[in-house]
Amino acid sequence: MIQLRPQVWPIMQAALQAVDPERAVSHYFTQHPDILTPLQQTQGRLFVIGAGKASAPMAKAVQQLLADKISAGIIIVKYGYSQPLPTGSPIKIIEAGHPVPDDAGLQATRELVALLQQTTAADTVLCLISGGGSALLTLPAEGLTLADLQATNQVLLAVGATINQINTIRKHVSAVKGGRLAELAMPASVISLILSDVVGDPLEVIASGPTVADPTTFAEAETIINQFNLAAKLPRAIIQHLQAGSLGQHAETPKPHDPIFQQVTNFIIGSNRVAAQAAMSAAQTAGWQAQLLTTFIEGEAREVGRVMAALAKGLQRGEGNLPLPMCLVLGGETTVTLHEPHGHGGRNQEMALAAAIALEGWPRILIACLGTDGNDGPTDAAGAWADGETVGRARALGLEAVAHLNHHEAYNLFKALDDLIMTGPTHTNVNDLILIFVW
Amino acid sequence: MIQLRPQVWPIMQAALQAVDPERAVSHYFTQHPDILTPLQQTQGRLFVIGAGKASAPMAKAVQQLLADKISAGIIIVKYGYSQPLPTGSPIKIIEAGHPVPDDAGLQATRELVALLQQTTAADTVLCLISGGGSALLTLPAEGLTLADLQATNQVLLAVGATINQINTIRKHVSAVKGGRLAELAMPASVISLILSDVVGDPLEVIASGPTVADPTTFAEAETIINQFNLAAKLPRAIIQHLQAGSLGQHAETPKPHDPIFQQVTNFIIGSNRVAAQAAMSAAQTAGWQAQLLTTFIEGEAREVGRVMAALAKGLQRGEGNLPLPMCLVLGGETTVTLHEPHGHGGRNQEMALAAAIALEGWPRILIACLGTDGNDGPTDAAGAWADGETVGRARALGLEAVAHLNHHEAYNLFKALDDLIMTGPTHTNVNDLILIFVW
């Protein structure tokens, strides 16, 4: 199956290109002159703000399209993720801590908020959001500290709160999350361009939804505190803040029917779905039948890998009516439950290895599992290839696939086989893709 | 979504009917007059043998079609699984132990083997195999005891041998498995009708392939013993038998190119694929678009359930080109890794519960997970329904879906909701089916 890889490589490339942050912003504006033209012709001022790992290249695209309209801008990115803008650009790029927020992020967010206080009703705030934005855009509610927020986060994770519960609390101890950034931008209009790193693209979850109405309440936050008996475990200031909020002593986060949202529009400009659909189109162009099954894949990587192998086998045996040669496209993001001691790998490599074990001996199947950011787990690979020969080729090198899977040691096996997918860092992140080729 | 269930119930029924053992045998002969007619016209004698949980109704069908041609027969079934044949039928049905073989099975197998010793080249042996046949058709190789075989089995499971490794050993310590039953039937012709309870229908695995060529060898068996250092752990007689076999002192199991297989034909008359295809056809007849994706599903039930929910969401959002209303059909068999303490449930109910959690709030999706034997795990239900309302309806009754899933306690939750799928025992087993309805 190795010989097929160069043929299908462009299909992966097409998917990654479709969600390149700079290209996604340009493409979006090209496709939506109804948004771009008013910005180009506005008599008001244009402020460009944003936070996220991909927000620097997004700003670059905005700078190119709207250069002379931009009054000022602040973009907060992860350390090492800034990119030079043209000399004289009014957009300032500030690096800060991720995934743990730090003082640099706090200062940058304060500066960003100060910028928003200059806006008038004639102005537009263009907000560039991408994955990581929640940690980078960080400003505790009045009376709370960054340390309070971090301690709260750790306790919530430790007691097993769900991500929805954690987000409910987070949004009610922050001055910018859960739509509060949009509030701060008033009376200007707000256009948020969002690169989604959350499966299913829930607007209120991506980067904690700084410009999105928050359906959750202080009362719900307090219920969660009580449910987990956190009154004594959380910082006292946090408990007091939430209780006061519950009693109506703090303003609620803006809700879906809040009139401010008549001035706010949120657009997903890049997502797993965009990447997956680009892969499907590219596969069709390359002569494959292609079908995008879902971008909602979640679950334990190795188990998902077995299901992917099952889908390939069903196709290969012609069990249904789907024609060959077929490229099935799936997307989402899996997780790995690590057992100690463990080796080196990532969720996509682990999925590929589990799929390879299930596919041993099967002909005419090739599966690619990759993270769109180019870094699968703590490795320099985006993912790996799996086919019916993987296990046998590894065995010939003295590497047992099952043992490697059991020890979360996929990287070295795939490296030895030259079966890692190496894209280099893509500077975007719209989760993971799975391409299943059967012919 | 509850109101849709009566509409889709016939789709499940069609699947189960297609693999009803009695009907599967009749249907097979009706579709293959080239097999039936020579049997009806043969001048030789017809012997009917078999083993498995579904072999009694299979024998019933043979009795009806070939009554006056049958000279004698012995069918071994699990305790409680016998069914009355017409008075005067020469086929004797014997009940025996399953899943742990017992003396009754041993005696019945001896009797069955004795019957085969009467055959001549003019005769035909019709062999009716179904799930459970491996435990029911049990005869240790000369010099070994049932206790030796059972001890071996337990050790192999305990050291984590794969199912392929276990089967290699099993076939080389048995007088009937791995094609040896076909050898014993010589010089007669053998026709095996097989109801498959193994994912992927590997002939040599179903009931340990009594009439199927065995690709494995004594030498491989010995390698496995050495790999796991079992020389001191297994019964001495077993070790000696395998070593002697390895030295050529026992005849090998018959291999694929053995001339005896010119007189042996093996037919899968019922399988997960047959059931799944029947479901697909019935869904189409009922006005659904339908697609059979795979019958190779394996993996941890709750993780597979999440992937099933993801497939439903992708369809619901129209991410690919698959049209609605759609019925996706998948089959296979999942497993549950139990954590103590645990409640009451089964793999299909656990899968449905995990799917329901992932689907919370989603409209126009209904998933059915069921075991074709009608008994999911140690419960009286075949499986359960899952939809976007399951979790909320449970919560309204004070039942938390996540907690129930964590404690393997799906049964009581679904029972309280009246969301169990109750088919009663179907007396067949072709693994599990998943039907995903999206409209």
Side-chain angles (χ1 to χ4, degrees):
Chain A
M1 311 304 110
I2 294 170
Q3 57 276 24
L4 192 75
R5 292 185 203 166
Q7 283 181 49
V8 302
W9 187 262
I11 297 171
M12 287 196 290
Q13 273 190 311
L16 296 178
Q17 274 168 16
V19 289
D20 172 79
E22 190 175 342
R23 187 199 161 281
V25 170
S26 308
H27 181 74
Y28 177 78
F29 278 123
T30 312
Q31 298 291 309
H32 293 85
D34 54 315
I35 308 290
L36 181 61
T37 311
L39 286 176
Q40 287 170 328
Q41 296 170 355
T42 179
Q43 298 302 310
R45 290 171 302 168
L46 179 62
F47 296 93
V48 180
I49 62 171
K53 286 191 271 183
S55 296
M58 290 169 83
K60 208 167 165 186
V62 170
Q63 172 69 37
Q64 277 175 347
L65 286 164
L66 291 160
D68 54 349
K69 285 289 168 186
I70 303 169
S71 294
I74 292 177
I75 298 286
I76 313 172
V77 301
K78 182 176 174 167
Y79 290 116
Y81 281 62
S82 60
Q83 293 193 5
L85 296 181
T87 320
S89 165
I91 304 175
K92 184 171 166 188
I93 295 184
I94 305 175
E95 296 192 345
H98 176 279
V100 180
D102 66 359
D103 272 325
L106 191 62
Q107 295 311 324
T109 305
R110 286 210 177 102
E111 202 173 326
L112 188 153
V113 167
L115 190 66
L116 293 182
Q117 283 162 356
Q118 306 173 18
T119 61
T120 69
D123 299 339
T124 304
V125 175
L126 193 54
C127 183
L128 309 174
I129 297 294
S130 59
S134 188
L136 296 165
L137 188 73
T138 189
L139 188 61
E142 215 182 318
L144 303 178
T145 67
L146 204 51
D148 289 335
L149 268 49
Q150 285 172 22
T152 302
N153 212 32
Q154 281 166 13
V155 169
L156 289 170
L157 286 172
V159 298
T162 67
I163 184 67
N164 285 338
Q165 292 173 325
I166 293 174
N167 283 339
T168 298
I169 306 274
R170 270 187 191 160
K171 290 180 178 181
H172 287 89
V173 295
S174 166
V176 287
K177 299 186 201 304
R180 291 206 192 271
L181 191 73
E183 269 183 338
L184 291 167
M186 293 300 110
S189 297
V190 175
I191 298 172
S192 258
L193 304 186
I194 301 167
L195 198 61
S196 169
D197 71 333
V198 182
V199 172
D201 308 333
L203 285 172
E204 74 284 6
V205 178
I206 304 163
S208 298
T211 59
V212 182
D214 175 24
T216 71
T217 63
F218 271 112
E220 285 167 10
E222 215 188 352
T223 303
I224 295 162
I225 299 302
N226 294 335
Q227 180 188 336
F228 290 101
N229 280 314
L230 299 180
K233 291 179 191 157
L234 292 183
R236 188 154 176 75
I238 294 282
I239 299 292
Q240 286 173 338
H241 181 81
L242 293 177
Q243 283 172 342
S246 222
L247 294 170
Q249 294 167 12
H250 298 305
E252 257 296 353
T253 49
K255 296 288 167 274
H257 297 293
D258 195 305
I260 70 162
F261 290 110
Q262 293 170 10
Q263 284 169 256
V264 179
T265 33
N266 290 289
F267 298 102
I268 300 273
I269 59 155
S271 64
N272 190 268
R273 184 174 178 168
V274 169
Q277 289 180 334
M280 182 170 74
S281 297
Q284 284 165 344
T285 304
W288 296 82
Q289 305 286 335
Q291 192 55 253
L292 166 53
L293 285 184
T294 181
T295 65
F296 288 89
I297 289 290
E298 293 182 289
E300 187 70 27
R302 63 184 61 206
E303 301 298 328
V304 175
R306 297 173 76 180
V307 178
M308 297 304 108
L311 291 175
K313 291 176 183 178
L315 270 176
Q316 169 63 256
R317 285 278 172 92
E319 295 191 316
N321 304 324
L322 292 173
L324 300 186
M326 173 61 77
C327 169
L328 290 182
V329 181
L330 299 95
E333 189 164 306
T334 61
T335 43
V336 170
T337 307
L338 278 180
H339 300 92
E340 300 294 341
H342 65 82
H344 197 49
R347 58 189 184 277
N348 288 286
Q349 293 160 63
E350 186 146 320
M351 193 197 305
L353 187 51
I357 291 167
L359 289 176
E360 186 177 1
W362 282 72
R364 298 185 303 286
I365 291 172
L366 177 63
I367 297 183
C369 306
L370 70 155
T372 53
D373 62 356
N375 288 106
D376 184 34
T379 75
D380 60 358
W385 300 98
D387 65 33
E389 297 167 7
T390 307
V391 173
R393 288 169 53 231
R395 192 173 291 136
L397 297 179
L399 303 171
E400 275 301 325
V402 172
H404 276 254
L405 181 61
N406 288 344
H407 298 115
H408 306 286
E409 180 69 72
Y411 182 85
N412 289 336
L413 182 141
F414 284 120
K415 190 174 173 68
L417 295 176
D418 200 17
D419 286 357
L420 289 168
I421 297 174
M422 305 293 287
T423 61
T426 63
H427 306 293
T428 194
N429 180 15
V430 293
N431 311 108
D432 303 330
L433 291 172
I434 307 160
L435 304 179
I436 303 175
F437 299 93
V438 182
W439 63 99
Chain B
M1 312 301 111
I2 293 171
Q3 57 278 23
L4 193 76
R5 294 184 199 166
Q7 284 179 50
V8 303
W9 187 262
I11 297 170
M12 286 196 289
Q13 272 192 314
L16 297 178
Q17 274 168 13
V19 290
D20 171 79
E22 190 174 344
R23 188 199 160 280
V25 170
S26 307
H27 182 74
Y28 177 77
F29 278 123
T30 311
Q31 299 290 308
H32 292 84
D34 54 314
I35 307 291
L36 180 62
T37 311
L39 287 176
Q40 286 170 328
Q41 296 170 354
T42 180
Q43 298 303 308
R45 289 172 304 168
L46 179 62
F47 296 94
V48 180
I49 63 170
K53 286 192 270 182
S55 295
M58 292 169 83
K60 208 166 163 185
V62 170
Q63 173 69 36
Q64 277 176 347
L65 287 164
L66 292 160
D68 54 347
K69 285 290 170 186
I70 303 168
S71 295
I74 291 175
I75 299 287
I76 314 173
V77 301
K78 182 175 174 166
Y79 291 115
Y81 281 62
S82 60
Q83 294 193 4
L85 295 181
T87 319
S89 166
I91 304 174
K92 184 172 165 186
I93 295 184
I94 305 175
E95 296 192 344
H98 176 279
V100 180
D102 66 359
D103 272 326
L106 192 62
Q107 295 311 324
T109 305
R110 286 210 177 101
E111 203 175 325
L112 188 154
V113 167
L115 189 66
L116 294 181
Q117 283 162 355
Q118 306 174 15
T119 61
T120 69
D123 300 338
T124 304
V125 174
L126 193 55
C127 183
L128 308 175
I129 297 295
S130 59
S134 188
L136 296 165
L137 189 73
T138 187
L139 188 61
E142 216 182 318
L144 303 178
T145 66
L146 204 51
D148 290 336
L149 267 52
Q150 285 171 21
T152 302
N153 211 33
Q154 282 166 12
V155 169
L156 290 169
L157 286 172
V159 300
T162 67
I163 185 66
N164 284 339
Q165 292 173 323
I166 293 174
N167 283 338
T168 299
I169 307 274
R170 271 186 191 162
K171 290 180 179 182
H172 287 89
V173 294
S174 166
V176 287
K177 300 186 200 305
R180 291 205 192 272
L181 191 73
E183 267 183 340
L184 291 167
M186 293 298 112
S189 297
V190 175
I191 297 172
S192 259
L193 303 187
I194 300 166
L195 198 61
S196 168
D197 70 334
V198 183
V199 172
D201 307 332
L203 285 173
E204 73 284 6
V205 178
I206 304 163
S208 299
T211 58
V212 182
D214 174 26
T216 71
T217 63
F218 272 113
E220 287 167 11
E222 216 189 349
T223 303
I224 295 162
I225 299 301
N226 295 335
Q227 181 189 332
F228 290 100
N229 280 315
L230 299 181
K233 289 180 192 158
L234 291 183
R236 191 156 174 71
I238 294 281
I239 299 292
Q240 286 175 338
H241 181 83
L242 293 175
Q243 284 173 341
S246 223
L247 295 169
Q249 293 166 12
H250 298 305
E252 256 296 353
T253 49
K255 295 288 166 278
H257 297 293
D258 196 305
I260 70 161
F261 290 110
Q262 292 169 12
Q263 285 168 254
V264 179
T265 32
N266 291 289
F267 297 103
I268 301 271
I269 60 156
S271 64
N272 191 268
R273 184 174 177 168
V274 169
Q277 289 181 333
M280 182 170 72
S281 297
Q284 283 165 343
T285 304
W288 297 82
Q289 305 286 336
Q291 193 56 254
L292 166 52
L293 285 184
T294 181
T295 64
F296 288 89
I297 290 291
E298 293 183 288
E300 187 70 27
R302 65 184 59 207
E303 301 298 329
V304 174
R306 297 173 76 179
V307 178
M308 297 305 108
L311 292 175
K313 291 175 184 176
L315 270 176
Q316 169 63 257
R317 285 277 173 93
E319 295 190 317
N321 303 324
L322 291 175
L324 299 187
M326 173 62 77
C327 169
L328 290 183
V329 182
L330 299 96
E333 189 165 306
T334 61
T335 43
V336 170
T337 307
L338 278 180
H339 300 91
E340 300 294 341
H342 65 82
H344 198 49
R347 60 189 182 275
N348 289 286
Q349 293 160 63
E350 187 145 322
M351 192 197 305
L353 187 52
I357 291 167
L359 289 177
E360 186 178 359
W362 282 73
R364 298 186 302 286
I365 292 173
L366 175 64
I367 298 183
C369 306
L370 70 156
T372 53
D373 62 357
N375 289 106
D376 184 34
T379 75
D380 60 358
W385 301 99
D387 65 35
E389 299 166 8
T390 307
V391 172
R393 288 171 53 231
R395 193 174 292 135
L397 298 179
L399 303 172
E400 274 302 325
V402 172
H404 276 254
L405 180 62
N406 288 345
H407 298 116
H408 306 288
E409 180 69 72
Y411 181 85
N412 289 337
L413 182 140
F414 284 121
K415 190 176 175 67
L417 295 176
D418 200 16
D419 287 357
L420 289 168
I421 297 174
M422 306 293 287
T423 61
T426 63
H427 306 292
T428 194
N429 179 15
V430 293
N431 311 111
D432 302 331
L433 290 173
I434 307 160
L435 304 180
I436 303 175
F437 299 93
V438 183
W439 63 100

